[in-house]
Amino acid sequence: QEELMESGGGSVQAGGSMSLSCSYTPGNYYCMAWLRQGPGKERERLATIYPVDGKTFYADSVKGRFTISRDSAKKTLYLQMNDMNPEDTAMYFCAADSRWAACATGGSGLAVWGQGTQVSVSP
């Protein structure tokens, strides 16, 4: 019954910016996150936000370039991506989990997922 849906994907040139959104149904999520999976690669956790206190964490690959945020009233999760490079080309997913352990690992083992949105960055 919990559901997430990403939007905002597309193509951009290196150095450009892009914003992603993720609408979600009500749920007692301990964390919400953005992940991506590039061609031939494993899914990578990019950013995590904890609604209880607003604390955020970022993978080194996107730290300083990407920003995760959440609007509880609009029930929407956001990912602002700046200074993008071709290595950012991937399918991007939003996800959520009610379990502290799953949230804290920084891995991809989260309970609820969106369908993904494609992001392509050209050189």
Side-chain angles (χ1 to χ4, degrees):
Q1 299 181 97
E2 296 174 322
E3 186 174 325
L4 309 176
M5 182 176 291
E6 304 91 340
S7 62
S11 300
V12 66
Q13 287 187 284
S17 299
M18 185 179 293
S19 297
L20 303 180
S21 298
C22 171
S23 62
Y24 59 89
T25 56
N28 60 332
Y29 307 122
Y30 191 82
C31 73
M32 302 192 74
W34 285 98
L35 305 91
R36 70 185 180 191
Q37 185 169 18
K41 300 180 180 179
E42 299 295 323
R43 287 186 181 180
E44 173 190 19
R45 179 95 70 87
L46 302 177
T48 309
I49 187 167
Y50 292 83
V52 64
D53 59 8
K55 192 69 176 292
T56 59
F57 295 90
Y58 297 91
D60 289 342
S61 59
V62 304
K63 190 175 299 181
R65 299 189 298 121
F66 291 11
T67 302
I68 187 172
S69 61
R70 185 182 70 94
D71 187 326
S72 60
K74 296 181 178 179
K75 293 185 289 186
T76 303
L77 183 73
Y78 302 97
L79 183 68
Q80 176 64 46
M81 303 181 289
N82 297 323
D83 192 24
M84 301 185 72
N85 60 69
E87 294 299 314
D88 295 322
T89 295
M91 185 72 73
Y92 283 69
F93 302 86
C94 58
D97 207 303
S98 63
R99 302 169 296 173
W100 172 86
C103 292
T105 61
S108 61
L110 300 176
V112 187
W113 291 76
Q115 81 288 349
T117 185
Q118 180 66 43
V119 172
S120 299
V121 185
S122 60

